[in-house]
Amino acid sequence: MTKMTRIALAALAVMGATTAMAQSSVTLYGRINTTVERQKSGDQSVSGLYNNASRWGIRGTEDLGGGLKAGFALESGFNSDTGTGSAWTHPTTGMSFARQSEVNLSGGFGMIRLGNFVPESYYATADYISMHNHDTGSSSDALYYDPVWFGGLSTKNKVGYRTPSMGGLTVDASVSLHEKDPTVGPRKNGYDLAANYATGPLHLGAGFSKVGDNWQAALRGLYTFGQVTLGAYYQRNKDDNQITGTGAGSRNNFRLSAMYTMGASEFHANVGHANKWSHIADSAATQWTLGYNYNLSKRTKVYGYYTKVNNSKGANYVTGAAGADFSSFALGVRHNF
């Protein structure tokens, strides 16, 4: 074999490898988010190191030609303070992909999703306006309630569909299959709908989820002008059997949030209030948070916040004890990779 032939073959091999790499890609990503906190729950105070939904994952796509793509996402949570598996993995002492494990096909028709993934109604409403710490840790939204996600079906066994963007509007729909599992609360399928619309500084969203006679519906808005971003959502719940076993009834819940940016600094404030459940006396609660983030880079922040949940005498948000309040002062570091 001549030297010129060997060079030509090597060039063809490189071209083939480059083409394969262009057609498919796999990305490793994640977030490590840890705080030092002084927490008070009722009359008990404690200082400690806390994980704020740290996770790592792998996602990828393959170009199948003709505008069709195959994709996947595998995501695992871990406790950044101890290195063990997080409460959102099974078992909690090891690794699993209980946060997300999906395969999908996408094209001009939209996207078909199969597997385990967080309800899009949550991302479209409560998560979207939780700007200061991405709705994680002790300052996460304690008042939002989804009967599908929190009611036994969790995020698993889902078939979902996402429309292509239609002038800035996308719609997601999914069904969570109970599969006649005796460990699942109401042995009924769960349904989730979400819509997102974005145009310039205005972002709107809506979400609805339902399992049996239990449902929630929410609307969200977010608007940015100059250095200020304002967000809000409103949620209506009806619960016939999941919270108390006999039915909590209905309630309204809302949250307001604001962010002011100045250079690398972000100043945050938010307040949420849940009215009492109609069948549970004195079950209203209010949560408010003040926070400050400093962006060391596009991927790394240092931050601090103070959050407080004020429970009425019949409410037990966060603490699990009726009438007991919760508060935390936290300093943390969040790094995305």
Side-chain angles (χ1 to χ4, degrees):
M1 184 181 294
T2 65
K3 181 176 180 181
M4 186 62 67
T5 302
R6 289 196 297 269
I7 293 174
L9 289 174
L12 287 172
V14 170
M15 290 173 63
T18 303
T19 301
M21 290 176 65
Q23 290 177 342
S24 62
S25 65
V26 176
T27 302
L28 174 69
Y29 69 94
R31 174 186 299 163
I32 304 176
N33 192 359
T34 312
T35 48
V36 180
E37 300 189 31
R38 179 67 173 177
Q39 295 185 356
K40 185 176 182 182
S41 181
D43 295 329
Q44 302 297 315
S45 297
V46 62
S47 297
L49 196 67
Y50 294 91
N51 171 49
N52 290 238
S54 298
R55 79 289 300 265
W56 71 277
I58 306 168
R59 57 183 168 228
T61 59
E62 181 186 12
D63 189 342
L64 301 174
L68 184 65
K69 292 183 179 181
F72 76 92
L74 299 171
E75 187 169 291
S76 178
F78 63 90
N79 289 310
S80 58
D81 53 335
T82 64
T84 59
S86 76
W88 205 355
T89 61
H90 305 283
T92 57
T93 55
M95 185 196 74
S96 80
F97 295 113
R99 284 189 62 94
Q100 186 176 6
S101 55
E102 76 164 91
V103 64
N104 55 66
L105 286 173
S106 61
F109 57 87
M111 178 184 289
I112 298 172
R113 308 171 70 188
L114 303 174
N116 167 55
F117 44 91
V118 174
E120 291 298 331
S121 59
Y122 163 73
Y123 283 136
T125 55
D127 180 80
Y128 206 99
I129 69 162
S130 297
M131 296 177 282
H132 80 283
N133 198 17
H134 300 283
D135 203 30
T136 64
S138 61
S139 65
S140 62
D141 188 341
L143 310 179
Y144 180 84
Y145 180 70
D146 181 341
V148 178
W149 192 5
F150 305 147
L153 288 172
S154 187
T155 63
K156 59 190 179 182
N157 301 329
K158 296 175 76 171
V159 180
Y161 170 71
R162 174 177 296 160
T163 68
S165 178
M166 300 171 289
L169 172 68
T170 58
V171 178
D172 283 86
S174 67
V175 56
S176 300
L177 304 174
H178 67 84
E179 299 180 347
K180 296 186 178 180
D181 184 347
T183 64
V184 172
R187 294 175 67 180
K188 299 179 182 294
N189 293 338
Y191 302 93
D192 189 78
L193 291 170
N196 286 280
Y197 176 74
T199 174
L202 178 64
H203 301 254
L204 302 174
F208 175 81
S209 54
K210 182 180 187 296
V211 55
D213 294 325
N214 306 297
W215 57 267
Q216 69 86 22
L219 297 172
R220 175 265 304 168
L222 185 139
Y223 189 80
T224 299
F225 51 99
Q227 297 167 275
V228 178
T229 300
L230 299 177
Y233 81 81
Y234 163 79
Q235 183 185 45
R236 175 71 173 174
N237 286 103
K238 182 180 179 183
D239 189 286
D240 276 352
N241 55 36
Q242 290 181 356
I243 292 180
T244 64
T246 57
S250 58
R251 65 154 204 180
N252 296 313
N253 169 39
F254 71 86
R255 182 169 293 270
L256 306 173
S257 66
M259 175 178 68
Y260 176 77
T261 60
M262 185 174 62
S265 294
E266 301 172 359
F267 300 88
H268 294 267
N270 66 70
V271 60
H273 179 77
N275 291 347
K276 79 176 190 69
W277 290 97
S278 59
H279 296 167
I280 304 176
D282 298 312
S283 54
T286 300
Q287 180 183 21
W288 58 272
T289 302
L290 296 175
Y292 171 76
N293 295 357
Y294 186 82
N295 295 283
L296 297 169
S297 70
K298 290 184 178 180
R299 296 186 300 165
T300 304
K301 291 183 179 183
V302 292
Y303 63 95
Y305 64 77
Y306 178 80
T307 189
K308 178 135 188 219
V309 177
N310 293 317
N311 283 313
S312 297
K313 64 181 182 180
N316 61 359
Y317 294 97
V318 182
T319 63
D325 295 337
F326 173 84
S327 65
S328 181
F329 175 75
L331 297 173
V333 178
R334 182 171 68 249
H335 173 73
N336 296 326
F337 62 88

